[in-house]
Amino acid sequence: MRNFIQPGNSLAIAVPYATGVSSGQGVLVGALFGVAAVDGVQNAMIEAATQGVFDLTKEPALAIGAGTRVFWDNTNRRITTTATGNFQVGIATQAALAADATVRVWLNRVPPAGS
């Protein structure tokens, strides 16, 4: 196939945040969400994983059940279960307690309920 570019497991993206990004943090560029493979300053081109399962920072004091749809709060740069105003990124693969700092997330753009 002559028009094949790459599998898309990771993509080069420009860091959108003024404070930069650290390896392992979520990054949202438009409608593209990934997990930074390396540290980068604002506007630097970095690789970001777009598929897989990752431990990501979550909203403090929020318990999340396994199988729950999760969203990226781009203002606070963390996972939440609040859909309104946030970007859906996947599904929690394990339960996270309110005291946990992270939640294990399978990156998967699942359709909204009822779709």
Side-chain angles (χ1 to χ4, degrees), residues 3-115:
N3 59 347
F4 178 79
I5 305 298
Q6 65 162 328
N9 297 341
S10 69
L11 298 171
I13 61 171
V15 175
Y17 308 118
T19 57
V21 67
S22 297
S23 175
Q25 290 182 324
V27 181
L28 182 63
V29 177
L32 176 63
F33 180 81
V35 177
V38 296
D39 297 348
V41 297
Q42 187 175 31
N43 298 321
M45 294 301 291
I46 64 162
E47 283 292 313
T50 58
Q51 298 178 20
V53 179
F54 299 88
D55 287 332
L56 297 173
T57 302
K58 69 170 189 64
E59 182 180 336
L62 176 67
I64 301 174
T68 301
R69 293 172 191 256
V70 293
F71 303 82
W72 182 249
D73 170 354
N74 202 43
T75 301
N76 296 298
R77 294 168 60 183
R78 63 188 182 198
I79 295 294
T80 184
T81 55
T82 303
T84 305
N86 296 312
F87 185 79
Q88 185 172 312
V89 295
I91 299 172
T93 63
Q94 295 180 356
L97 302 174
D100 293 338
T102 63
V103 60
R104 189 153 293 168
V105 175
W106 171 42
L107 299 184
N108 181 24
R109 293 290 309 278
V110 293
S115 293

